[in-house]
Amino acid sequence: MFVLNNLEGGGAEKMMVKIMNGFVAKGIPVNLLLGEKKGIHLNNVHFSIKVDETGGEKFFIYLQRFLQVLKTNQYSHIFTIGYNISSAALLAKKISSPNSKIYSTHHFAYPAKRQLKYWKGDLLLKMYYYLLFPSADKIIAVSKGALEWLRKFS
């Protein structure tokens, strides 16, 4: 199962559609969960991929959905794209101890020290990286800059 906020523009969305379609071409069944079923890449999703939506892109909506999904144990692998999605999936994994493997992507390379006005967001981000991110089964850095930042930060 792949989980994204939506399929609106952007390289990550386009690449995820290509990867999902590639899995289908190899006979691997794929499901897609979106926060909202919208975006320019939605028409490129293979017709056999079941596309579902949570009805919103907020952390607690994803957390509730992941707790339901993980309870069923119907997915062996879950690919999360986005911090609110990854955070919700990893917290749900800690709560429910499923057999599913969770693969989280890391996209950004924030500066090590930012302006004081960002302290709340930075604090949440640090909590995420120290408490939740290590529980991912795999972490996929999508750029060299993101990988270097991840190595320094964690």
Side-chain angles (χ1 to χ4, degrees):
M1 179 169 78
F2 287 80
V3 188
L4 292 91
N5 281 328
N6 57 56
L7 291 177
E8 291 184 337
E13 293 84 356
K14 184 177 182 180
M15 290 310 300
M16 286 300 115
V17 169
K18 286 185 177 193
I19 291 169
M20 290 184 294
N21 289 343
F23 282 176
V24 168
K26 294 189 180 293
I28 301 168
V30 174
N31 286 0
L32 173 60
L33 176 63
L34 299 171
E36 294 182 296
K37 201 187 259 189
K38 65 180 183 179
I40 61 172
H41 301 295
L42 195 55
N43 291 334
N44 299 328
V45 173
H46 192 273
F47 69 90
S48 69
I49 296 175
K50 180 184 176 212
V51 181
D52 199 6
E53 69 178 333
T54 63
E57 299 176 359
K58 303 279 189 217
F59 169 82
F60 288 108
I61 293 172
Y62 282 117
L63 179 60
Q64 182 181 16
R65 189 60 173 268
F66 278 123
L67 288 170
Q68 294 168 351
V69 165
L70 294 174
K71 195 182 290 185
T72 66
N73 266 335
Q74 75 185 80
Y75 300 107
S76 60
H77 297 79
I78 298 173
F79 294 85
T80 61
I81 296 88
Y83 292 110
N84 57 339
I85 298 169
S86 294
S87 299
L90 295 171
L91 183 56
K93 181 179 179 179
K94 282 189 173 279
I95 292 169
S96 61
S97 302
N99 293 327
S100 303
K101 295 197 180 303
I102 296 181
Y103 295 81
S104 293
T105 59
H106 174 73
H107 298 262
F108 301 105
Y110 290 114
K113 293 187 178 186
R114 299 194 308 162
Q115 296 175 0
L116 189 57
K117 67 181 180 181
Y118 298 115
W119 74 271
K120 288 181 186 175
D122 288 349
L123 181 61
L124 287 172
L125 194 60
K126 285 182 181 183
M127 287 175 52
Y128 169 68
Y129 277 101
Y130 288 116
L131 300 176
L132 289 176
F133 215 49
S135 62
D137 293 287
K138 296 278 184 193
I139 299 169
I140 304 164
V142 298
S143 71
K144 183 179 178 188
L147 178 61
E148 289 170 358
W149 182 87
L150 190 59
R151 284 182 177 157
K152 285 180 188 175
F153 191 81
S154 50

